[in-house]
Amino acid sequence: MRANILAFAMGVWFLQTQGSLPPFALVVATLVGASAWLLWAGSRPQAASLAWRSLSLLACAVLGVAWAALLAGQRLQERLPAEWEGRDLQLVGVVAGLPQGFENGERFAFFVESVESVESVDAPPAQVPPRIMLSWYYGQQRDERRAAPSEALTEALSEEPSTAPIIRPGERWRFTVRLKRPHGNANPHAFDYEAWLFERGLRATGYVRPKGVAQRLDDFVLGPGYAIERLRERIRHSFRAALPEAPYVGILAALAIGDQQAISAEQWRVFRQTGVTHLMSISGLHVTMVAALFAALVGWLWRRSEGLMLRLPAPKAAIAAGWLAAFGYALLAGFAVPTQRTLYMLSVVALALWSGRNLGASRSLLLALLLVLLLDPWAVLSPGFWLSFAAVGLLFFVGTARVGVRRGWRATLARWGTTQWAVTIGTLPLLLLLFQQFSLVSPLANALAIPVVSFLITPLALLFALLPWPSLLQLDHWLLSLLMLFLEWLARWPLWQQPAPPLAATLLALLGVL
């Protein structure tokens, strides 16, 4: 089973590296044929020979290619035709996400409900993707317009200055917009903006016309997703209101609801220099820690009630509570792609533990990998996908290699140091391949930052989100300030930077790590 899942993953990855999709008929025939062959081969009573196993691996790889091609073809249908680029369109839709402010305006995801009119009454109906990314630029002075960084911004600010009203998630608006198909820079080893939009189903970008229609139609559109986004906005406002002038309140908001817009460039530099960037956004580590804390708390309380114990065993109650906590935290974080992957992984583990089956570390991890790729085959395009599974796999690899378990603070400190060393060395080849840099002080920084952020700062930020008591946030900010002093001191040390190594060298380095 494990080899088959890895073969399926390689097939998904291979499809994402191709410049075009295979014909739809071939994709459907491959899906049906490979699935039928695997079912027939799996039902054979005798043990499979090496040839049969090789054919099964090949069928799984082909199935991965076909599955990824099927979903990619469906998403590619949601495209903006070239003839509608750069033309005025009047759209009615709902603000689908938390607006993100930038220097010249705000940017937000927009769910298109209808296209009401176009610039010409004789034109055919416009075809607009259901989810788009819109920018609303604020008015500026004329000397600032001449220094506008992009053609879209220059055109948007070419008219008289205006101030856009406040945009809130869940509101229905009528906008006059201009759209274009997604485009991103093609620099090797750089951030792929076009792939980022594609993975999130945002199939067009554009801006609100300054002199066009901008009318709020409804203050709130009822829907689970919109209600969650409105709750996130309310929590973000409570953070800013409690500590309006605090330098690190943006980090606390990012840990609670995944909103990173208030983290300054200098703070991001410190995080990169010390290798703790993964801790300053809602990552798999945070979701897992929150699930573990809730599971431990509910399990401890459940054992105090004889009646509850007779209805449901405490371990199962703890598993359910941990999964629900992880699900709630993922929703609060905007159900971003990294949190989705973590939730899928935890779901596989929770189901295995609930059923009483011991699948083993490797099977649990690979089943989570299969679930992620079935729901999100574009995950292989994200560096976080490879780093998260590599880190978890290393932790399992190191943890299961221990013969005995010693007790005491010295043994605990030794295990913690071993874990840090394994993750540092194990992810080094991938970090150099994906980011071309590595923080030499990251083991020391993470050794302190991981427990402080995971067990103190993040739980306090979430507690303030539930109980908005300013003193609670002040305590949390004070703890974060002490941590930032330590990280700023470590950030003075040099950063290892080099050109991206060849793939062959990276694979050889991974063998050396093992």
Side-chain angles (χ1 to χ4, degrees):
M1 180 186 72
R2 286 171 289 193
N4 289 344
I5 294 177
L6 289 175
F8 180 86
M10 290 300 101
V12 172
W13 172 80
F14 176 78
L15 188 279
Q16 305 300 344
T17 63
Q18 302 306 299
S20 60
L21 296 179
F24 178 74
L26 178 61
V27 170
V28 174
T30 302
L31 282 173
V32 175
S35 301
W37 193 91
L38 287 172
L39 290 175
W40 176 75
S43 63
R44 298 174 73 248
Q46 62 270 26
S49 62
L50 180 60
W52 280 99
R53 291 177 182 176
S54 301
L55 289 175
S56 297
L57 291 177
L58 180 61
C60 289
V62 171
L63 193 62
V65 173
W67 177 253
L70 179 66
L71 296 188
Q74 293 177 352
R75 183 153 295 182
L76 286 174
Q77 296 300 318
E78 302 171 351
R79 60 164 59 95
L80 178 71
E83 59 267 20
W84 290 109
E85 285 191 299
R87 299 175 62 178
D88 284 353
L89 300 172
Q90 191 172 119
L91 308 178
V92 173
V94 183
V95 179
L98 198 64
Q100 300 296 321
F102 55 93
E103 183 180 2
N104 302 301
E106 285 189 299
R107 184 177 292 111
F108 52 92
F110 192 68
F111 180 76
V112 179
E113 295 179 324
S114 63
V115 182
E116 288 197 340
S117 64
V118 296
E119 58 186 12
S120 174
V121 295
D122 298 329
Q127 299 177 10
V128 178
R131 283 178 58 86
I132 60 178
M133 178 73 78
L134 288 180
S135 298
W136 197 340
Y137 296 99
Y138 300 156
Q140 295 181 332
Q141 301 300 324
R142 294 186 181 276
D143 57 344
E144 293 176 324
R145 295 175 193 170
R146 287 194 292 268
S150 66
E151 180 182 354
L153 178 58
T154 303
E155 184 178 0
L157 301 176
S158 61
E159 305 187 28
E160 292 301 319
S162 61
T163 302
I166 298 176
I167 309 171
R168 304 187 65 190
E171 293 178 336
R172 178 178 282 119
W173 282 80
R174 179 183 288 114
F175 286 131
T176 300
V177 303
R178 280 191 178 179
L179 302 177
K180 67 177 182 178
R181 289 178 291 181
H183 298 286
N185 295 328
N187 297 328
H189 306 289
F191 175 68
D192 193 339
Y193 181 62
E194 189 173 347
W196 183 87
L197 292 172
F198 187 84
E199 183 179 6
R200 285 153 180 79
L202 300 169
R203 301 293 295 128
T205 62
Y207 63 93
V208 178
R209 296 281 285 153
K211 291 294 185 179
V213 176
Q215 179 185 6
R216 183 187 289 110
L217 302 178
D218 292 300
D219 291 332
F220 181 70
V221 177
L222 188 62
Y226 303 144
I228 292 171
E229 292 298 322
R230 183 64 65 89
L231 175 62
R232 296 178 68 221
E233 184 211 32
R234 187 176 305 170
I235 294 174
R236 181 174 69 175
H237 177 73
S238 66
F239 273 84
R240 294 175 177 176
L243 296 175
E245 303 296 332
Y248 307 124
V249 67
I251 301 176
L252 297 178
L255 293 174
I257 61 172
D259 176 40
Q260 301 177 2
Q261 67 169 342
I263 301 180
S264 66
E266 175 61 22
Q267 291 169 354
W268 281 121
R269 185 195 67 82
V270 172
F271 300 151
R272 286 194 302 270
Q273 288 284 123
T274 55
V276 298
T277 305
H278 62 101
L279 289 177
M280 301 307 158
S281 59
I282 298 180
S283 62
L285 177 64
H286 294 129
V287 177
T288 304
M289 290 298 180
V290 169
L293 288 174
F294 269 82
L297 178 61
V298 170
W300 181 79
L301 294 175
W302 204 269
R303 289 181 177 88
R304 299 298 181 271
S305 173
E306 182 179 346
L308 293 176
M309 288 280 290
L310 291 175
R311 295 185 179 183
L312 184 68
K316 289 191 174 183
I319 292 168
W323 185 88
L324 289 175
F327 180 69
Y329 193 20
L331 292 180
L332 194 62
F335 213 58
V337 175
T339 57
Q340 291 181 33
R341 297 180 193 134
T342 305
L343 184 63
Y344 301 152
M345 294 173 65
L346 291 177
S347 299
V348 171
V349 176
L351 286 174
L353 294 176
W354 183 277
S355 63
R357 297 180 180 179
N358 183 11
L359 297 178
S362 60
R363 284 190 178 88
S364 298
L365 185 63
L366 289 175
L367 283 174
L369 173 68
L370 176 62
L371 181 59
V372 168
L373 294 180
L374 286 174
L375 299 175
D376 181 18
W378 303 282
V380 295
L381 300 175
S382 171
F385 168 82
W386 298 101
L387 288 173
S388 60
F389 275 98
V392 175
L394 283 167
L395 293 177
F396 284 154
F397 182 75
V398 175
T400 55
R402 299 187 183 119
V403 178
V405 178
R406 296 177 295 169
R407 298 182 181 273
W409 67 269
R410 288 188 179 88
T412 302
L413 186 61
R415 287 193 296 269
W416 182 253
T418 302
T419 301
Q420 287 296 316
W421 180 250
V423 173
T424 299
I425 298 299
T427 58
L428 176 57
L430 291 177
L431 289 173
L432 292 178
L433 175 68
L434 299 172
F435 302 109
Q436 301 86 56
Q437 63 181 21
F438 175 73
S439 173
L440 298 175
V441 297
S442 65
L444 179 59
N446 281 282
L448 178 64
I450 286 178
V452 171
V453 173
S454 301
F455 294 107
L456 292 176
I457 295 176
T458 301
L460 286 175
L462 289 174
L463 187 59
F464 175 80
L466 298 175
L467 303 172
W469 183 34
S471 298
L472 190 64
L473 195 62
Q474 291 171 4
L475 172 63
D476 202 14
H477 190 272
W478 177 75
L479 292 173
L480 180 58
S481 301
L482 296 179
L483 178 63
M484 289 300 296
L485 288 176
F486 176 67
L487 294 178
E488 289 168 0
W489 175 72
L490 290 179
R492 301 171 187 172
W493 291 77
L495 190 69
W496 178 3
Q497 293 179 311
Q498 68 168 57
L503 181 60
T506 303
L507 295 176
L508 189 62
L510 291 175
L511 290 177
V513 165
L514 293 178

